Amino acid sequence: MVVVQRRELTFWERIYLPEIFRGLAITFKKMFEPRVTRQYPEEALPTNEVTRGQPRLVVKDDGNIACVSCGLCEAACPAYAITIDSQETERFIEREPERFEIDMLRCILCGFCEEACPKEAIFMSDELELANTTRQGLVYDMKQLERPASTLKPRIDYVRRINDRW
Amino acid sequence: MSDLTKQTPADPSTIERVEITVNGQTVQARTDKPLIQACIQAGVEVPHYCYHPGLTPEGSCRICQVEVQQGKMPARVMVACRTPVMPGMVVNTETEGAHDARRECLEFLLKNHPLDCPICDKAGECTLQDYSFTEGQGEGRSVEPRRKLEKRKDLGDVILLDQERCILCTRCVRFMDEVPKTPQLCVAGRGSHSTIETWNDTPLSGNYQGNLADVCPVGALTLKSFRFKARVWNLTKTASSCGECSRGCATTVEVLRKGEVTRIRPRHDEDVNGWWMCDTGRFALDAFSLADRLVGTLLPSASRGWDATSVENGLQIASDMLTTGDKPLLIASPWLTQEEGGELLALGQTISARVAFVSTASNDLADDVLHTGDPGPNRRGLSDLGLEALTAEEILHTASEHSTVLCIGERVARLLGKGEAEGFNSLPPSARVLLFDCELPDAPTEGNSPIDIAIGLPSSVERVGHWVNIDGLRRNILQARPAPAGVWNTLRLLKYLHELLTNREVQS
């Protein structure tokens, strides 16, 4: 058992009012100092290429999805958030996803999918916001995940740069 | 070298064995098999693409090179699949010379092999991929571009050929020559222009084409029906037996995400099927479809529809039906396992019923390779147990003599109806018909369905048991996926029903 020895209050502290005025003085002083809190969501968080937001699929400049549904991200995903079904295409690359779903409630934004992808098809975007009224609404399908390559450009360049270091 | 082509010697006692050393380990190696088998027997993994234990060794891929020292000769690197076993051989697979030889060979194999593993269906079970991972170098040294060939060459209804991926091991050519003995494939062209072709681009024929996708060590020959269906590491694999004929080939049932059966592949069983299976069994995936399954108990309602109830209730009603009236007729499907057949027989004795099974008519698929032409997988076992064999016609004929007919087992309605609903629906309306099956037969176009109660059963990929094949070999079937909710295991259901009937007999 530990007996906590409390400090005896001094006379000025015991008469209470001076301490109230001392506190109010601090509050008043802070009103004229620069603010340190952020007005989220009116003021968005700054993001850069290192931000590891939600994964998004790359749509190449020719309008086709870059993903060939090899399933490596699905296998790498530690949270089992990704589900892929494939289908055949008429293009030179014979395979594309028929269904590509990421359960955003399961996704832990670890970036393993981006690391596993052999086709530069999935990247961690700077999108961080996630809200819906149902759980099913947060299982994103291919339409919700697709982003043109130009939007993901900074991240793609960044990943290529750090991969070149190996 | 012709000794090496023999698959199984006529008499196992005539197998000659000699003592050799593999990586410092003494092995009693068979002289009728090539050196690579002795290495495998010693637990030493030697990579191989053109060698297949079920086919004549050819030695075209050269990847199985090992270092062999014999007598006073200096150690030499040679291919293990074309080297006969000799007494006193000292084999070493891990010397620098052997590794170098294999690495150089691998570099040549990968020279023209496309880097499309992310697209390739074989990825994950490809031995070229595995060995490149362990032994290969990160980057190719070749400056010439890879050869361009046809990526989607159609070889008939079953197989698609990707000529770029082919490493010309000729396993497929030898398979077609040696197993179904219908030579259809050949290597056409010379040097780097060599490709696998059929004569004049004729599509492949025969009931054994599916095996080509299994023997292909890379993703060159793939099944059209499995193309891009699943990644192989997502498939749950269960050892089981095929139920499409009385051969009962050993199979691996592969299920995608605990749902549909996506692929069935042969499993090695020396006495039953070797390494192969026929396309009839391989592509019989519809039989295990989860759509239109009979689940729980269905009772006919007044409005020509069905009322659902629990299996317990259903069995209570079934036991009422079986104990009223004269001698009931119990009809088993030849898909019933030995355990279930024995339980049905015991149940039949309790209520002194006539117990028979549907003796299926032979089909024209019989050949001298594997297919027996008899679609009932456990015919031999059920006859051995003492169930009476009756053809569908005989059953429909004798059913009128019985007031209650219980049809039990996978596909029993289909067998009685010979594939059509009308056959099953022509069971006499005077008899009470109890149907325990995986699916409900189509309702008759006119009048009411003869069924008085229908209870859902698990299919053969959803239960455990034994079948006895045409040669009297007992082989097991295993559960590859859970049965749909509300479906009882057949054996549990039979035991529960037997208990109900025994209690009823004791009371009366």
Side-chain angles (χ1 to χ4, degrees):
Chain A
M1 195 174 73
V2 180
V3 180
V4 179
Q5 296 292 330
R6 299 207 181 276
R7 186 170 64 87
E8 282 278 308
L9 295 182
T10 61
F11 171 74
W12 289 108
E13 282 167 349
R14 263 183 291 148
I15 63 170
Y16 194 69
L17 273 179
E19 287 295 301
I20 290 286
F21 286 116
R22 200 158 72 91
L24 281 174
I26 290 169
T27 312
F28 199 71
K29 198 174 79 190
K30 289 284 173 192
M31 284 167 67
F32 301 99
E33 283 182 10
R35 279 193 303 208
V36 293
T37 50
R38 178 174 299 279
Q39 297 303 302
Y40 186 82
E42 285 79 21
E43 264 180 63
L45 279 165
T47 58
N48 56 24
E49 72 273 20
V50 186
T51 309
R52 212 169 57 209
Q54 294 162 13
R56 290 290 181 262
L57 296 174
V58 174
V59 177
K60 293 186 288 185
D61 295 336
D62 59 5
N64 291 319
I65 193 162
C67 176
V68 298
S69 68
C70 70
L72 289 188
C73 51
E74 191 183 11
C77 184
Y80 303 109
I82 305 177
T83 317
I84 310 171
D85 283 340
S86 341
Q87 66 183 17
E88 185 154 7
T89 68
E90 292 305 312
R91 287 184 282 136
F92 174 70
I93 290 176
E94 299 159 288
R95 187 176 175 127
E96 69 170 13
E98 181 186 16
R99 174 172 81 131
F100 194 118
E101 284 179 359
I102 304 183
D103 187 342
M104 285 301 168
L105 291 171
R106 301 202 72 142
C107 178
I108 54 168
L109 312 182
C110 66
F112 280 14
C113 47
E114 177 188 74
E115 210 170 309
C117 185
K119 290 282 171 189
E120 299 194 329
I122 187 164
F123 282 98
M124 308 308 277
S125 65
D126 54 5
E127 295 165 43
L128 285 159
E129 281 156 11
L130 190 68
N132 206 302
T133 49
T134 59
R135 280 167 184 273
Q136 198 51 46
L138 290 168
V139 179
Y140 282 12
D141 63 12
M142 234 155 68
K143 278 278 150 298
Q144 288 163 292
L145 291 170
E146 282 174 356
R147 293 286 180 277
S150 54
T151 6
L152 296 164
K153 186 92 182 29
R155 179 70 186 183
I156 296 174
D157 291 342
Y158 168 73
V159 171
R160 279 182 187 159
R161 210 159 60 236
I162 56 168
N163 283 350
D164 282 347
R165 284 210 313 241
W166 298 109
Chain B
M1 200 59 74
S2 64
D3 285 0
L4 303 181
T5 65
K6 279 190 210 151
Q7 303 312 324
T8 34
D11 179 11
S13 63
T14 61
I15 299 172
E16 203 188 321
R17 288 176 190 273
V18 294
E19 198 174 278
I20 67 165
T21 313
V22 179
N23 287 2
Q25 200 181 336
T26 314
V27 187
Q28 296 293 327
R30 287 172 64 156
T31 48
D32 60 334
K33 299 270 181 184
L35 180 58
I36 192 165
Q37 274 298 334
C39 297
I40 293 167
Q41 187 198 331
V44 175
E45 207 172 298
V46 181
H48 53 276
Y49 304 132
C50 72
Y51 176 72
H52 188 285
L55 302 171
T56 319
E58 187 176 271
S60 59
C61 75
R62 318 302 289 180
I63 199 75
C64 62
Q65 294 177 96
V66 295
E67 202 170 270
V68 179
Q69 192 181 16
Q70 204 172 6
K72 296 221 164 57
M73 295 279 281
R76 290 194 304 163
V77 170
M78 48 180 78
V79 282
C81 73
R82 284 284 275 192
T83 308
V85 172
M86 296 297 223
M89 269 183 164
V90 180
V91 183
N92 201 335
T93 62
E94 300 302 319
T95 59
E96 206 177 315
H99 270 292
D100 281 350
R102 293 203 294 260
R103 206 177 297 123
E104 281 156 20
C105 171
L106 185 68
E107 199 176 348
F108 277 114
L109 286 175
L110 293 174
K111 160 72 189 73
N112 279 318
H113 193 81
L115 197 61
D116 61 357
C117 300
I119 295 166
C120 181
D121 267 334
K122 197 79 176 184
E125 54 183 17
C126 171
T127 46
L128 185 63
Q129 192 184 32
D130 291 350
Y131 197 56
S132 308
F133 189 72
T134 54
E135 194 85 9
Q137 45 199 24
E139 277 163 38
R141 291 183 291 175
S142 169
V143 287
E144 284 99 34
R146 290 189 166 89
R147 63 179 174 178
K148 289 267 169 275
L149 292 166
E150 212 167 326
K151 293 255 333 148
R152 290 179 235 200
K153 192 173 169 67
D154 201 328
L155 292 187
D157 299 333
V158 179
I159 295 287
L160 201 78
L161 168 65
D162 186 327
Q163 291 180 332
E164 287 188 5
R165 287 183 196 149
C166 178
I167 57 167
L168 296 165
C169 69
T170 69
R171 268 192 196 181
C172 51
V173 178
R174 282 174 287 146
F175 171 80
M176 274 299 180
D177 292 356
E178 292 168 19
V179 181
K181 299 197 172 55
T182 51
Q184 294 178 59
L185 290 166
C186 66
V187 183
R190 285 179 302 174
S192 66
H193 297 283
S194 307
T195 50
I196 297 292
E197 302 266 358
T198 52
W199 170 250
N200 234 354
D201 283 345
T202 337
L204 292 176
S205 62
N207 202 13
Y208 291 87
Q209 299 170 45
N211 292 303
L212 293 174
D214 292 336
V215 295
C216 186
V218 294
L221 295 163
T222 48
L223 293 178
K224 277 186 181 174
S225 63
F226 185 66
R227 192 166 160 83
F228 304 157
K229 278 274 153 39
R231 301 306 288 183
V232 294
W233 54 84
N234 283 339
L235 298 170
T236 317
K237 300 175 175 83
T238 314
S240 193
S241 296
C242 175
E244 293 310 307
C245 83
S246 51
R247 176 76 59 199
C249 294
T251 58
T252 309
V253 179
E254 305 186 1
V255 176
L256 180 63
R257 297 187 195 118
K258 291 180 185 167
E260 295 293 345
V261 176
T262 316
R263 184 166 68 162
I264 296 177
R265 297 211 298 161
R267 187 162 51 85
H268 177 225
D269 191 328
E270 192 70 51
D271 301 323
V272 180
N273 59 321
W275 289 264
W276 325 114
M277 77 184 290
C278 70
D279 290 355
T280 318
R282 184 188 296 267
F283 298 124
L285 303 175
D286 288 345
F288 312 119
S289 163
L290 283 168
D292 301 328
R293 281 291 293 270
L294 173 53
V295 171
T297 302
L298 296 182
L299 294 163
S301 69
S303 56
R304 287 194 72 196
W306 298 97
D307 290 330
T309 180
S310 71
V311 179
E312 281 98 336
N313 274 343
L315 290 174
Q316 200 74 44
I317 298 163
S319 69
D320 285 340
M321 289 179 176
L322 286 168
T323 41
T324 51
D326 62 348
K327 197 177 175 185
L329 176 64
L330 309 185
I331 303 291
S333 136
W335 267 263
L336 234 51
T337 62
Q338 287 296 86
E339 292 79 359
E340 291 153 6
E343 190 62 35
L344 185 72
L345 208 60
L347 187 151
Q349 274 159 5
T350 311
I351 53 169
S352 51
R354 184 177 179 191
V355 189
F357 72 91
V358 190
S359 172
T360 42
S362 334
N363 52 32
D364 53 3
L365 291 164
D367 53 41
D368 51 7
V369 188
L370 289 173
H371 205 292
T372 58
D374 169 18
N378 197 24
R379 170 203 291 275
R380 170 97 181 241
L382 293 179
S383 326
D384 289 354
L385 279 176
L387 274 78
E388 206 180 328
L390 293 176
T391 63
E393 287 82 6
E394 282 169 342
I395 290 165
L396 293 175
H397 187 70
T398 52
S400 53
E401 296 163 18
H402 300 268
S403 61
T404 314
V405 181
L406 167 68
C407 303
I408 181 162
E410 198 179 342
R411 306 187 208 183
V412 66
R414 209 182 280 195
L415 292 176
L416 287 177
K418 290 184 273 339
E420 292 157 32
E422 291 309 315
F424 187 76
N425 291 329
S426 66
L427 278 168
S430 58
R432 276 189 303 263
V433 177
L434 295 81
L435 176 70
F436 296 2
D437 198 348
C438 295
E439 55 181 358
L440 209 56
D442 298 337
T445 41
E446 288 169 22
N448 287 323
S449 170
I451 302 163
D452 291 283
I453 184 166
I455 299 183
L457 289 187
S459 69
S460 58
V461 294
E462 292 154 3
R463 60 208 165 98
V464 178
H466 290 88
W467 282 337
V468 178
N469 85 345
I470 193 164
D471 301 319
L473 295 166
R474 196 179 158 95
R475 291 291 182 266
N476 59 359
I477 58 166
L478 282 179
Q479 187 173 14
R481 66 154 182 240
V487 170
W488 277 28
N489 191 331
T490 316
L491 197 58
R492 179 186 169 206
L493 187 140
L494 277 169
K495 285 201 164 136
Y496 191 91
L497 184 61
H498 193 177
E499 206 167 298
L500 287 177
L501 292 167
T502 317
N503 292 344
R504 218 169 273 263
E505 293 289 312
V506 170
Q507 275 163 21
S508 63

